[in-house]
Amino acid sequence: MFSPAIVVTAVVIYMLCLFAVAQVVEYRVAKTGRAIKSPWVFALSLAVYHTSWTFYGSVGFATTSGLLFMGIYAGALIGILFWWVTLRKMVAVKEDFRITSIADFISTRYRRSQRIAGLVTLIALIGSVPYIALQLKAVVNSFEIITYDHDSPWANSGLFVTLLMTAFTIVFGVKRLDPTERHQGMMGVLVVEAFVKIVAFAAVGLFVCYVMFDGWSDIANQIRMNGLDYLTSPTATPNSASMWLTLIILSFSGILLLPRQFHVAVIENTDQKHIKTAMWLFPAYMILINLFVVPIAAAGLLLDLPSEKADFFVLLLPQLIDNDPLTMLAFIGGFSAATGMIIITTMTLSTMVSNHLILPIIELTPKAQVMRSYLLQIRWLLVAVIIFGSYWFELEFSDSYILVAIGLLSFVAILQFAPAVFGGIFWSRANSAGAFSGLLAGFLVWCYTLGLPTFIKQGWLPPEILINGPWDIYWLRPEALFGLDHFTPVTHSVIWTLGVNISVYVIGSLIYHPNKEERTLTTEFMAAMRPVQPNRKARPAGLDAYIPLNVKLEEAQTLLKQYISGNKAHEAVFNIADDLQVLNKSHITIIELMEFHRMLEHMLAGSIGAASAHSAIEQQVRYSDRESSELKALYSHIVTGLNNQVTYDPETKDPEDSVIPNGFGMISDLQNQIDSLEALSTDQKRMLIELEAKLESRYEEIFKYRMEAQRLGKENEDLRQQLTTLSRTPES
């Protein structure tokens, strides 16, 4: 065992090394002016998926359930097979709409709804905080295992870890406001941690196989001789088939929809082509880090280590024969697995909470609007609140069953995003009503089937609710809803939450007819996911240039200064005008103004989220009377050009038809006129739907033209940077 001072010193040295790596990476990026575009860095950073639940928990899972632990990785591998279809589309949308988080992605797809963004944020927060607590508990428990002196001040090792995680998250994850800027230093840290995790775990595995035993064959023989065959069985537990399916479903969605995975895979992606490398390198990493799970689990049981400490066999086995270097390496490996998850998840959650919960409240409260310029500091505070809240959760539920399977419980919460995300990508008819209703219904069922039992087993609520149901209604038992009592609580919850979520999502989308704005945004969203076609023709110029550019630039800067510094606001507006190639103009057209405001909204979305940015533009950007009339005229012109206007003039009716011989004839004639008007109204509605479809098609083409222009502008900027770099390089 080590003294606490030695372990703390090792942790501090390790964190300083990570700090140095991040500083070197960011210095290189600042010096060259170019982001590090390496497919290997992207692929290895995805290993943040492997937390302490993998490093420690997989072994503990294997000691009780055999090969069932592989289910949480089998589904992930299946999900990765579809990344060129799913992940590539998400990255394309992120690039066009300046997406900042999973909440931003879902809300952008569905009318930029702030309600949906807030609900997604709430689900992610409630689902992730217990998982962060698990990481803190793993670090604290591993610290206690390898140290021999727990007296003050080392009794508060959990508080020390919490403070360390808070500081490191702020330094590398929340040191600037715009989260769409590349966190190159943080990505470098994730790569280092990926190597440390796999090296530490493989070192323990090789040590167990070839030092403590005589290789794989010896361990296999020992397993058979000691009646441990269930360790290599995929059906070692009751309901194994349903649990396999449950784990596959959870990991299939989790590998992409967990807040930390979405951030690394989507937000931090610098090139869609890197996905191809990740599709083979990341699965290879996943397989390698799990090769020694069964040998380590078998070794711990064969050497009579306490089965209740199976989660920490990785530490206990080298400690058993006093191999201090390997024990310390294993501890640092587990520490890396926990810290990577904590930093990325907390950073992402702080962004989501500030953009979609705090900022909307600030906007609705006039006296609080001065806080808009302190969003960065608010995120620092949120990081501390989230991490310390997780630490409180770990202390409060330290003896509860929830920390045993907390990873799966969090996965079920995040599973509620799957219908809204995948449905939004592949089903154009999906709309905001269906998405909000499905998310809310699924989350409420999760609270009832998994959240409520947690508080009951903790002693906060009477246990009779689990046995007899609330108000003694037997069919409403939280873990056996409507008599479905043949599954584990996790499987039971997955069945009900996913079934209710999908059903409400589909029914709500079919019943609700979205307005024009939502249909237009859906068209843009779907168009952004399609591959860009080369050799497009330039779009037409538009109307007369009569709008003073300086006025619009000042208005845009005034808006941005409410959220970012004055210098950054000026630079951002200048860059937008430069991209539109209007800097040399004194006046611009209405189409150029529309483009300017659209790009301004995309830029602002990087700081406060798409939903909040759209709301800010709507509330604070003003159009003159002429500009408003020009916009309406432009819209009308497009509609008129698409199809001929259909008119109906009742005065063209033949006068003889007005002669009514008697009262009965008048009623009959009125009825005929009503029937004719209803038929005409039906025809006009049908034609209106056709016109709107054609208009949406035209709008989609315009959107594609704009995306191509932005892409070409970015390529030109990259070329200019390369030429500048080459010109600075001294000749050899």
Side-chain angles (χ1 to χ4, degrees):
M1 287 189 177
F2 301 91
S3 70
I6 292 177
V7 178
V8 170
T9 301
V11 168
V12 171
I13 292 175
Y14 177 67
M15 296 297 280
L16 289 175
C17 290
L18 294 182
F19 180 86
V21 169
Q23 288 294 96
V24 169
V25 171
E26 294 196 350
Y27 175 77
R28 176 185 171 185
V29 172
K31 184 177 180 180
T32 61
R34 296 196 303 269
I36 297 177
K37 296 184 178 181
S38 170
W40 284 70
V41 170
F42 173 71
L44 290 174
S45 66
L46 293 167
V48 70
Y49 181 75
H50 299 287
T51 66
S52 63
W53 196 88
T54 295
F55 198 88
Y56 295 127
S58 291
V59 175
F61 200 171
T63 59
T64 58
S65 305
L67 296 181
L68 185 60
F69 79 94
M70 296 177 62
I72 205 68
Y73 308 106
L77 292 173
I78 295 172
I80 293 171
L81 291 177
F82 295 94
W83 270 8
W84 193 242
V85 177
T86 56
L87 179 56
R88 185 169 61 91
K89 291 178 180 291
M90 292 180 177
V91 172
V93 170
K94 180 264 300 187
E95 293 172 349
D96 289 342
F97 290 92
R98 297 283 298 236
I99 301 298
T100 63
S101 64
I102 181 70
D104 216 14
F105 181 90
I106 296 175
S107 68
T108 299
R109 168 60 178 87
Y110 299 105
R111 194 172 49 84
R112 294 191 180 94
S113 171
Q114 196 65 266
R115 288 194 311 164
I116 292 178
L119 179 58
V120 171
T121 299
L122 191 63
I123 295 173
L125 186 64
I126 294 176
S128 299
V129 164
Y131 204 177
I132 298 174
L134 177 62
Q135 311 308 309
L136 295 173
K137 181 177 177 62
V139 174
V140 172
N141 286 355
S142 60
F143 179 89
E144 293 175 350
I145 286 174
I146 67 171
T147 57
Y148 57 77
D149 181 10
H150 300 153
D151 295 334
S152 181
W154 311 113
N156 294 321
S157 57
L159 184 60
F160 168 75
V161 171
T162 303
L163 288 170
L164 195 63
M165 292 300 99
T166 301
F168 203 77
T169 302
I170 291 174
V171 169
F172 290 107
V174 200
K175 67 178 180 180
R176 55 189 172 219
L177 186 60
D178 188 349
T180 58
E181 296 179 16
R182 310 301 178 193
H183 294 79
Q184 298 290 290
M186 185 181 64
M187 296 294 282
V189 167
L190 292 182
V191 172
V192 172
E193 290 185 328
F195 277 111
V196 171
K197 284 185 291 189
I198 197 167
V199 167
F201 199 85
V204 175
L206 291 171
F207 177 82
V208 167
C209 290
Y210 297 102
V211 176
M212 302 182 72
F213 293 87
D214 292 329
W216 293 74
S217 58
D218 181 32
I219 293 178
N221 291 332
Q222 296 279 359
I223 288 175
R224 288 192 296 270
M225 293 172 59
N226 290 273
L228 299 176
D229 296 290
Y230 74 91
L231 290 176
T232 57
S233 171
T235 57
T237 59
N239 296 320
S240 56
S242 62
M243 273 303 298
W244 269 99
L245 183 59
T246 299
L247 294 177
I248 288 173
I249 292 174
L250 292 176
S251 56
F252 179 89
S253 62
I255 193 64
L256 199 53
L257 302 185
L258 286 167
R260 67 180 187 274
Q261 292 302 127
F262 185 90
H263 181 85
V264 175
V266 179
I267 306 302
E268 294 290 345
N269 182 281
T270 57
D271 192 333
Q272 295 181 24
K273 295 178 182 178
H274 293 173
I275 298 173
K276 293 183 177 179
T277 301
M279 288 177 65
W280 67 264
L281 182 56
F282 184 34
Y285 183 98
M286 190 177 297
I287 293 171
L288 287 175
I289 202 171
N290 284 286
L291 280 180
F292 296 100
V293 169
V294 172
I296 293 174
L301 295 175
L302 290 170
L303 295 174
D304 294 326
L305 290 176
S307 59
E308 61 272 15
K309 292 188 177 181
D311 284 343
F312 296 97
F313 279 178
V314 177
L315 284 175
L316 293 173
L317 285 170
Q319 190 182 63
L320 185 66
I321 58 173
D322 297 326
N323 191 324
D324 289 343
L326 186 58
T327 302
M328 180 59 73
L329 178 61
F331 172 78
I332 294 298
F335 184 81
S336 292
T339 55
M341 181 273 176
I342 293 174
I343 292 171
I344 301 299
T345 302
T346 306
M347 181 200 70
T348 304
L349 289 177
S350 67
T351 299
M352 292 165 63
V353 172
S354 65
N355 286 351
H356 306 301
L357 294 181
I358 303 298
L359 187 58
I361 296 175
I362 292 176
E363 297 291 357
L364 292 175
T365 309
K367 294 183 178 180
Q369 291 182 3
V370 67
M371 298 298 296
R372 288 185 297 200
S373 59
Y374 295 97
L375 284 180
L376 183 58
Q377 290 73 22
I378 290 175
R379 288 183 186 173
W380 294 347
L381 179 62
L382 287 171
V383 167
V385 170
I386 292 170
I387 295 181
F388 277 89
S390 301
Y391 180 57
W392 168 86
F393 190 93
E394 186 271 329
L395 294 176
E396 183 67 27
F397 292 85
S398 58
D399 297 325
S400 174
Y401 88 103
I402 191 172
L403 291 179
V404 176
I406 191 62
L408 296 181
L409 301 182
S410 293
F411 271 56
V412 178
I414 301 305
L415 178 65
Q416 305 317 306
F417 300 156
V421 171
F422 295 121
I425 290 176
F426 298 106
W427 188 30
S428 60
R429 191 168 177 180
N431 54 55
S432 57
F436 181 81
S437 302
L439 283 166
L440 182 60
F443 178 58
L444 291 177
V445 175
W446 179 86
C447 291
Y448 186 77
T449 56
L450 283 181
L452 182 62
T454 297
F455 296 113
I456 293 174
K457 294 177 181 180
Q458 185 65 15
W460 291 10
L461 294 171
E464 290 77 15
I465 297 177
L466 285 180
I467 302 172
N468 302 320
W471 307 290
D472 290 330
I473 303 176
Y474 191 73
W475 295 101
L476 295 182
R477 290 174 295 164
E479 294 183 333
L481 200 57
F482 294 103
L484 196 67
D485 55 359
H486 302 297
F487 301 100
T488 64
V490 172
T491 301
H492 170 266
S493 183
V494 167
I495 293 173
W496 281 109
T497 57
L498 197 57
V500 170
N501 191 332
I502 293 176
S503 299
V504 174
Y505 173 70
V506 172
I507 294 173
S509 295
L510 293 176
I511 293 176
Y512 176 70
H513 184 68
N515 57 28
K516 178 63 180 176
E517 180 184 0
E518 181 171 348
R519 296 198 304 273
T520 299
L521 182 59
T522 299
T523 302
E524 282 192 19
F525 193 95
M526 292 297 184
M529 292 187 292
R530 295 169 186 162
V532 177
Q533 300 296 329
N535 300 325
R536 285 202 187 99
K537 295 181 181 179
R539 61 182 172 189
L543 306 178
D544 295 335
Y546 66 91
I547 303 171
L549 178 60
N550 289 338
V551 174
K552 298 303 177 182
L553 295 180
E554 291 176 1
E555 181 185 52
Q557 289 185 48
T558 302
L559 171 61
L560 293 181
K561 286 178 182 178
Q562 299 177 21
Y563 304 95
I564 60 179
S565 65
N567 292 335
K568 287 187 176 181
H570 176 77
E571 181 181 357
V573 172
F574 178 86
N575 289 336
I576 293 174
D578 185 45
D579 290 340
L580 285 174
Q581 299 182 356
V582 297
L583 280 178
N584 296 326
K585 298 181 179 180
S586 60
H587 294 76
I588 58 176
T589 66
I590 190 64
I591 292 180
E592 288 170 333
L593 179 62
M594 292 169 60
E595 289 298 304
F596 178 78
H597 286 160
R598 187 178 299 276
M599 294 175 69
L600 178 66
E601 180 177 331
H602 287 176
M603 181 272 153
L604 187 59
S607 296
I608 64 175
S612 297
H614 183 67
S615 176
I617 292 290
E618 279 191 335
Q619 294 177 8
Q620 302 185 46
V621 169
R622 298 289 180 263
Y623 293 97
S624 67
D625 292 340
R626 181 179 177 183
E627 290 164 4
S628 298
S629 63
E630 289 280 0
L631 287 172
K632 294 177 183 178
L634 181 61
Y635 177 84
S636 176
H637 177 73
I638 294 174
V639 174
T640 304
L642 289 173
N643 214 335
N644 292 328
Q645 184 177 5
V646 178
T647 60
Y648 171 75
D649 186 3
E651 294 183 1
T652 60
K653 183 175 169 44
D654 186 38
E656 293 183 359
D657 293 340
S658 301
V659 179
I660 308 299
N662 52 48
F664 179 81
M666 179 167 42
I667 294 175
S668 177
D669 185 70
L670 287 173
Q671 184 62 51
N672 290 336
Q673 292 185 43
I674 292 172
D675 292 341
S676 298
L677 289 172
E678 288 180 346
L680 181 61
S681 176
T682 301
D683 291 340
Q684 288 180 332
K685 288 180 180 179
R686 177 181 55 80
M687 296 180 69
L688 181 61
I689 293 174
E690 293 175 356
L691 286 172
E692 289 180 343
K694 292 179 181 179
L695 181 60
E696 289 178 2
S697 176
R698 176 61 176 166
Y699 194 90
E700 179 179 334
E701 293 178 4
I702 294 174
F703 179 78
K704 289 179 180 179
Y705 291 148
R706 178 167 57 82
M707 291 301 102
E708 176 65 11
Q710 291 182 358
R711 184 182 68 82
L712 292 175
K714 186 176 183 301
E715 290 179 357
N716 290 335
E717 179 62 25
D718 290 342
L719 289 174
R720 283 198 295 266
Q721 290 181 356
Q722 293 177 14
L723 290 174
T724 302
T725 303
L726 291 174
S727 64
R728 294 175 179 174
T729 304
E731 297 182 359
S732 57

